[in-house]
Amino acid sequence: MSNTPLAIVILAAGKGTRMKSDKPKVMHELAGRPMINWVIESAKALKPETIITVIGPDMPELKKAVEPHDIVTQKERNGTGGALKCALPKLKGFKGDVLILLGDCPLITTKTMKALIKARSKDLTTSLSVLGMHMDNPTGYGRIIADKNGIVSHIVEEKDANKAEKSIRIVNAGAFCIDSKRLESWVRKLGNDNAQGEFYLTDLPQIAAHDGAVCAMHVCENAQELKGCNSRTDLANLEKNTQNLLRENVMAAGVTMIDPDTVYLHFDTKIASDCVIEPSVFFGPNVVLEKNVTIKAFSHIEGAHVKSGAKIGPFARLRPGATIGENAGIGNFVEIKKSTIGERSKIGHLAYVGDCQMGEDVNFSAGAITVNYDGFQKHTTMIGKGVMVGSNVNLVAPVHIDDGAFIAAGSTITEDVPADALSIARDAAQIRQGWAAKYRKLRAAAAKKRKASK
Ligand code: UD1
Ligand code: MG
């Protein structure tokens, strides 16, 4: 990599009309992270002197998303060339390479950016480089017109292209690298005499050629990486590509996925080696799985830390603030929120645990719940180690069940329970001998009478 200083400009001011959305296009998410942040993360790895994002005037959420990096506002959305022009004042005095990226091309890798920068510095006259890719169906993309040595003469936008140009399969991925010495004069020469009446960034190669400079091209082998996002269909396709990348990374790190295509990962999901993820599992933000964890089918996990050897699911829901201890077992139709579950504790079926500190070796049976909300406030349930909570128990918080206590099935517990005690809080059973037989007889007689009167 050359030691030439680098500045990066990301164009993200477009309205994204084709998305039909109230939010800026680049704020739409892939694996839970806005597109713009995917671009910024890959750009950051190049250690540039600055990253400037061009945003629209009414995009406070986008401004926040790019922080602490610089922004510049493009007041009039008059095209990609107009957007770059807005960044010129911020680049005054900068000497080096200026890499221009599109905010709606989110999966571009650092490696590809490096290759584009390298193409720019091929020789002394190469003041510009453009990123190209092969597309079997190039519809919607600008076509790159280049000679057999890869020297670009110009780029034609789809809407301005004639039939012959439309048949070209090498398209413009949207990214450029330009020598800062040429930047200002060339950008000021961009015009808007085209089908869309916009200032096209894609006119740069032609302007460079007029100036006797050479525009080189780097053709990226992997077109999937450079697909742009202009519609919800593009977004869905990009999500597929993103998920595939994330799944590949997870499996490369030693995780077994029985049916990877059905597992949805968040960009920040951390899964240690020898975990097993069964089919149809969804990961929301902020999940950490330590080694040897099994997530069984149809589980929904977000904001949770699962310690090694624990088994979750099938059909389990872990919500934010759930910490599951080593070798613990969380079974089907169990929901855990903002709670710590001790080592080896078992919550096997049909239970709700919220705002709870649970010790180790607890058995929390089917139908048991923490009653954590009184209609106004949340309260905490403390459960010591080795506690046995029977089936269908309500633990009305705030309440403390001390070590080794037993809670009888069907109890509603409103008082603290001391260590090793039994708490039973339910009506005693009444046995009425012969009642059922008598009742059946009465019903049969009534049915006979009804039939006779018809
Ligand atoms: C653009 C390229 C096209 C290329 C394609 C690759 C131009 C003229 N066309 O087309 O050759 O094949 O990307 O995906 O450059 N933007 C602004 N301000 C504006 C307009 C756009 O900042 O006034 C930003 C958008 O937010 C977006 C990016 O520039 O992130 C590209 O704009 P978009 O309208 O999507 O261009 P395409 O039609 O995809
Ligand atoms: Mg686009």
Side-chain angles (χ1 to χ4, degrees):
M1 188 84 205
S2 77
N3 291 326
T4 315
L6 178 68
I8 298 181
V9 181
I10 305 173
L11 310 185
K15 283 188 179 142
T17 325
R18 291 164 280 182
M19 294 291 280
K20 299 195 170 57
S21 173
D22 286 342
K23 68 177 172 185
K25 174 164 68 176
V26 298
M27 288 304 292
H28 285 267
E29 295 174 353
L30 296 177
R33 175 159 73 176
M35 279 192 259
I36 187 69
N37 295 101
W38 284 92
V39 182
I40 287 181
E41 283 311 305
S42 302
K44 259 166 61 181
L46 295 169
K47 300 196 168 44
E49 288 193 4
T50 177
I51 299 179
I52 303 161
T53 304
V54 184
I55 72 168
D58 40 11
M59 299 178 169
E61 65 275 63
L62 178 51
K63 182 171 184 246
K64 203 161 185 325
V66 307
E67 272 171 6
H69 302 286
D70 214 349
I71 56 134
V72 60
T73 306
Q74 182 189 13
K75 292 204 181 72
E76 191 194 345
R77 255 68 72 90
N78 53 7
T80 47
L84 180 58
K85 197 183 266 180
C86 295
L88 291 180
K90 295 254 181 201
L91 292 165
K92 263 226 137 49
F94 171 78
K95 287 192 177 57
D97 277 325
V98 179
L99 178 65
I100 301 146
L101 303 171
L102 302 185
D104 71 343
C105 179
L107 299 183
I108 182 169
T109 59
T110 310
K111 189 173 158 219
T112 300
M113 293 178 196
K114 277 184 186 164
L116 180 62
I117 296 166
K118 197 170 165 208
R120 208 293 298 150
S121 55
K122 212 164 153 196
D123 58 53
L124 288 174
T125 53
T126 319
S127 304
L128 181 68
S129 59
V130 54
L131 185 58
M133 56 179 167
H134 286 275
M135 279 262 176
D136 288 337
N137 176 11
T139 312
Y141 289 88
R143 313 296 204 276
I144 298 180
I145 320 294
D147 67 14
K148 58 181 186 324
N149 298 319
I151 305 299
V152 180
S153 62
H154 59 289
I155 298 173
V156 191
E157 286 304 291
E158 166 95 19
K159 285 186 179 151
D160 301 282
N162 59 35
K163 214 169 159 212
E165 288 164 338
K166 275 188 182 152
S167 68
I168 292 170
R169 296 277 182 278
I170 296 185
V171 304
N172 170 32
F176 294 85
C177 183
I178 180 167
D179 182 349
S180 64
K181 286 200 281 291
R182 307 291 206 147
L183 180 72
E184 181 155 0
S185 73
W186 287 353
V187 169
R188 295 213 182 277
K189 283 182 192 159
L190 293 172
N192 63 351
D193 182 17
N194 52 53
Q196 300 186 84
E198 288 188 353
F199 293 89
Y200 290 168
L201 194 59
T202 45
D203 285 345
L204 283 177
Q206 206 167 353
I207 292 170
H210 278 153
D211 243 0
V214 170
C215 176
M217 169 165 67
H218 170 69
V219 180
C220 178
E221 294 299 320
N222 180 10
Q224 294 300 328
E225 178 194 319
L226 298 177
K227 285 212 163 147
C229 181
N230 295 317
S231 65
R232 304 280 180 156
T233 304
D234 290 340
L235 184 69
N237 286 329
L238 282 167
E239 180 71 44
K240 260 188 213 148
N241 294 347
T242 309
Q243 289 298 331
N244 281 336
L245 285 173
L246 294 172
R247 291 166 189 147
E248 275 162 24
N249 290 344
V250 163
M251 289 187 281
V255 173
T256 295
M257 286 179 147
I258 294 170
D259 186 2
D261 288 352
T262 65
V263 174
Y264 281 80
L265 297 157
H266 202 79
F267 78 93
D268 64 356
T269 307
K270 290 188 183 67
I271 308 183
S273 63
D274 287 325
C275 286
V276 176
I277 315 296
E278 291 188 356
S280 297
V281 171
F282 185 94
F283 291 96
N286 206 9
V287 173
V288 178
L289 306 185
E290 292 184 5
K291 286 182 84 148
N292 288 309
V293 165
T294 300
I295 308 286
K296 296 187 186 178
F298 300 104
S299 294
H300 190 285
I301 322 273
E302 58 182 326
H305 185 131
V306 184
K307 297 199 178 165
S308 61
K311 289 193 168 32
I312 312 294
F315 297 99
R317 179 161 186 218
L318 301 185
R319 290 175 53 203
T323 300
I324 312 299
E326 279 180 31
N327 300 311
I330 309 297
N332 41 280
F333 307 108
V334 172
E335 175 178 339
I336 313 243
K337 184 221 79 168
K338 207 176 169 193
S339 295
T340 302
I341 309 301
E343 285 175 36
R344 298 175 300 278
S345 285
K346 300 277 179 284
I347 311 175
H349 9 236
L350 299 153
Y352 171 65
V353 177
D355 302 286
C356 176
Q357 298 292 316
M358 185 184 291
E360 57 209 53
D361 300 307
V362 169
N363 191 83
F364 201 87
S365 306
I369 62 161
T370 55
V371 182
N372 59 332
Y373 186 51
D374 62 11
F376 297 92
Q377 269 179 290
K378 298 279 168 63
H379 301 280
T380 304
T381 301
M382 307 287 291
I383 302 176
K385 53 186 175 194
V387 166
M388 165 68 198
V389 178
S391 290
N392 212 25
V393 161
N394 299 309
L395 298 174
V396 183
V399 70
H400 185 171
I401 318 296
D402 215 335
D403 295 351
F406 263 61
I407 310 295
S411 295
T412 292
I413 304 295
T414 54
E415 310 263 329
D416 288 354
V417 181
D420 295 322
L422 166 71
S423 180
I424 178 162
R426 64 182 186 221
D427 278 352
Q430 299 175 15
I431 306 291
R432 299 186 189 169
Q433 295 289 354
W435 183 95
K438 214 158 115 190
Y439 180 65
R440 270 195 294 272
K441 230 175 181 174
L442 275 171
R443 298 300 303 228
K448 207 168 164 188
K449 211 169 154 187
R450 272 202 309 278
K451 215 170 163 189
S453 68
K454 268 188 191 163

Short mmCIF file of all heavy atoms in Angstrom, two decimals, residues 19-41:
data_model
loop_
_atom_site.label_atom_id
_atom_site.label_comp_id
_atom_site.label_asym_id
_atom_site.label_seq_id
_atom_site.Cartn_x
_atom_site.Cartn_y
_atom_site.Cartn_z
N MET A 19 -36.87 3.81 -3.12
CA MET A 19 -37.11 2.99 -1.91
C MET A 19 -38.52 3.24 -1.35
O MET A 19 -39.01 2.48 -0.53
CB MET A 19 -36.10 3.33 -0.82
CG MET A 19 -34.66 2.96 -1.14
SD MET A 19 -34.39 1.20 -1.18
CE MET A 19 -34.26 0.83 0.57
N LYS A 20 -39.12 4.37 -1.73
CA LYS A 20 -40.45 4.77 -1.22
C LYS A 20 -40.48 4.70 0.31
O LYS A 20 -41.23 3.93 0.92
CB LYS A 20 -41.55 3.91 -1.83
CG LYS A 20 -41.62 4.05 -3.34
CD LYS A 20 -42.92 3.49 -3.88
CE LYS A 20 -43.13 3.82 -5.35
NZ LYS A 20 -42.08 3.37 -6.26
N SER A 21 -39.62 5.53 0.91
CA SER A 21 -39.46 5.45 2.36
C SER A 21 -39.31 6.85 2.94
O SER A 21 -38.83 7.76 2.28
CB SER A 21 -38.19 4.65 2.67
OG SER A 21 -37.89 4.69 4.04
N ASP A 22 -39.69 7.01 4.19
CA ASP A 22 -39.49 8.30 4.87
C ASP A 22 -38.06 8.45 5.35
O ASP A 22 -37.61 9.55 5.64
CB ASP A 22 -40.44 8.41 6.08
CG ASP A 22 -41.86 8.68 5.64
OD1 ASP A 22 -42.03 9.10 4.47
OD2 ASP A 22 -42.79 8.45 6.43
N LYS A 23 -37.35 7.33 5.49
CA LYS A 23 -35.99 7.48 6.00
C LYS A 23 -34.97 7.46 4.86
O LYS A 23 -35.22 6.88 3.80
CB LYS A 23 -35.67 6.45 7.08
CG LYS A 23 -35.57 5.02 6.70
CD LYS A 23 -35.18 4.22 7.95
CE LYS A 23 -35.25 2.74 7.72
NZ LYS A 23 -35.00 1.96 8.91
N PRO A 24 -33.81 8.13 5.08
CA PRO A 24 -32.79 8.15 4.03
C PRO A 24 -32.42 6.74 3.62
O PRO A 24 -32.32 5.84 4.48
CB PRO A 24 -31.60 8.84 4.72
CG PRO A 24 -32.14 9.56 5.89
CD PRO A 24 -33.37 8.82 6.31
N LYS A 25 -32.18 6.56 2.32
CA LYS A 25 -31.90 5.21 1.81
C LYS A 25 -30.78 4.52 2.58
O LYS A 25 -30.91 3.36 2.96
CB LYS A 25 -31.54 5.30 0.32
CG LYS A 25 -31.09 4.00 -0.27
CD LYS A 25 -31.10 3.99 -1.77
CE LYS A 25 -30.08 4.89 -2.41
NZ LYS A 25 -30.09 4.77 -3.89
N VAL A 26 -29.70 5.26 2.83
CA VAL A 26 -28.52 4.62 3.43
C VAL A 26 -28.72 4.28 4.91
O VAL A 26 -27.86 3.67 5.53
CB VAL A 26 -27.25 5.47 3.26
CG1 VAL A 26 -26.93 5.65 1.79
CG2 VAL A 26 -27.38 6.81 3.97
N MET A 27 -29.88 4.67 5.47
CA MET A 27 -30.18 4.29 6.86
C MET A 27 -30.93 2.95 6.92
O MET A 27 -31.15 2.41 7.99
CB MET A 27 -31.01 5.37 7.57
CG MET A 27 -30.23 6.62 7.90
SD MET A 27 -28.76 6.27 8.90
CE MET A 27 -29.52 5.76 10.44
N HIS A 28 -31.32 2.43 5.78
CA HIS A 28 -31.92 1.08 5.78
C HIS A 28 -30.84 0.09 6.15
O HIS A 28 -29.67 0.26 5.80
CB HIS A 28 -32.54 0.78 4.41
CG HIS A 28 -33.83 1.53 4.21
ND1 HIS A 28 -35.05 0.99 4.51
CD2 HIS A 28 -34.06 2.79 3.78
CE1 HIS A 28 -35.99 1.89 4.27
NE2 HIS A 28 -35.41 3.00 3.83
N GLU A 29 -31.24 -0.93 6.89
CA GLU A 29 -30.25 -1.79 7.54
C GLU A 29 -29.98 -3.10 6.82
O GLU A 29 -30.87 -3.67 6.20
CB GLU A 29 -30.73 -2.10 8.97
CG GLU A 29 -30.80 -0.86 9.82
CD GLU A 29 -31.42 -1.10 11.18
OE1 GLU A 29 -31.93 -2.21 11.42
OE2 GLU A 29 -31.40 -0.16 12.01
N LEU A 30 -28.76 -3.56 6.97
CA LEU A 30 -28.38 -4.93 6.58
C LEU A 30 -27.87 -5.61 7.84
O LEU A 30 -26.96 -5.07 8.49
CB LEU A 30 -27.27 -4.90 5.53
CG LEU A 30 -27.64 -4.26 4.19
CD1 LEU A 30 -26.42 -4.23 3.28
CD2 LEU A 30 -28.78 -5.00 3.51
N ALA A 31 -28.47 -6.72 8.19
CA ALA A 31 -28.12 -7.43 9.44
C ALA A 31 -28.13 -6.45 10.62
O ALA A 31 -27.27 -6.50 11.50
CB ALA A 31 -26.78 -8.13 9.32
N GLY A 32 -29.09 -5.55 10.60
CA GLY A 32 -29.30 -4.65 11.74
C GLY A 32 -28.39 -3.43 11.77
O GLY A 32 -28.45 -2.65 12.72
N ARG A 33 -27.54 -3.24 10.76
CA ARG A 33 -26.67 -2.07 10.76
C ARG A 33 -26.95 -1.25 9.50
O ARG A 33 -26.98 -1.80 8.40
CB ARG A 33 -25.20 -2.52 10.78
CG ARG A 33 -24.21 -1.36 10.65
CD ARG A 33 -22.85 -1.73 11.17
NE ARG A 33 -22.13 -2.64 10.30
CZ ARG A 33 -20.88 -3.04 10.53
NH1 ARG A 33 -20.23 -2.63 11.59
NH2 ARG A 33 -20.29 -3.87 9.71
N PRO A 34 -27.16 0.10 9.66
CA PRO A 34 -27.45 0.91 8.48
C PRO A 34 -26.38 0.75 7.41
O PRO A 34 -25.19 0.61 7.72
CB PRO A 34 -27.44 2.34 9.04
CG PRO A 34 -27.74 2.20 10.49
CD PRO A 34 -27.13 0.89 10.91
N MET A 35 -26.82 0.80 6.16
CA MET A 35 -25.89 0.63 5.03
C MET A 35 -24.68 1.56 5.15
O MET A 35 -23.54 1.14 4.90
CB MET A 35 -26.61 0.97 3.72
CG MET A 35 -27.44 -0.14 3.20
SD MET A 35 -27.94 0.24 1.52
CE MET A 35 -29.58 0.79 1.78
N ILE A 36 -24.92 2.81 5.54
CA ILE A 36 -23.83 3.78 5.61
C ILE A 36 -22.73 3.30 6.56
O ILE A 36 -21.54 3.50 6.30
CB ILE A 36 -24.35 5.18 6.02
CG1 ILE A 36 -23.26 6.24 5.91
CG2 ILE A 36 -24.96 5.19 7.41
CD1 ILE A 36 -22.84 6.56 4.52
N ASN A 37 -23.12 2.63 7.65
CA ASN A 37 -22.12 2.18 8.61
C ASN A 37 -21.30 0.99 8.10
O ASN A 37 -20.15 0.81 8.49
CB ASN A 37 -22.76 1.88 9.97
CG ASN A 37 -23.34 3.14 10.58
OD1 ASN A 37 -24.53 3.38 10.52
ND2 ASN A 37 -22.47 3.99 11.12
N TRP A 38 -21.90 0.21 7.20
CA TRP A 38 -21.10 -0.85 6.56
C TRP A 38 -19.98 -0.22 5.74
O TRP A 38 -18.83 -0.66 5.79
CB TRP A 38 -21.99 -1.72 5.64
CG TRP A 38 -22.85 -2.68 6.39
CD1 TRP A 38 -24.13 -2.45 6.82
CD2 TRP A 38 -22.51 -4.00 6.82
NE1 TRP A 38 -24.61 -3.56 7.49
CE2 TRP A 38 -23.64 -4.52 7.50
CE3 TRP A 38 -21.37 -4.79 6.70
CZ2 TRP A 38 -23.66 -5.80 8.04
CZ3 TRP A 38 -21.39 -6.08 7.24
CH2 TRP A 38 -22.52 -6.56 7.91
N VAL A 39 -20.33 0.84 4.99
CA VAL A 39 -19.32 1.49 4.15
C VAL A 39 -18.25 2.13 5.03
O VAL A 39 -17.04 1.96 4.79
CB VAL A 39 -19.98 2.58 3.25
CG1 VAL A 39 -18.93 3.21 2.34
CG2 VAL A 39 -21.10 1.98 2.42
N ILE A 40 -18.69 2.82 6.07
CA ILE A 40 -17.73 3.51 6.95
C ILE A 40 -16.77 2.52 7.61
O ILE A 40 -15.57 2.74 7.68
CB ILE A 40 -18.47 4.38 7.99
CG1 ILE A 40 -19.06 5.60 7.29
CG2 ILE A 40 -17.54 4.81 9.13
CD1 ILE A 40 -19.79 6.57 8.17
N GLU A 41 -17.30 1.39 8.08
CA GLU A 41 -16.44 0.41 8.76
C GLU A 41 -15.34 -0.10 7.82
O GLU A 41 -14.19 -0.22 8.22
CB GLU A 41 -17.27 -0.77 9.29
CG GLU A 41 -18.04 -0.46 10.56
CD GLU A 41 -17.19 0.20 11.66
OE1 GLU A 41 -16.15 -0.35 12.04
OE2 GLU A 41 -17.57 1.30 12.12
#
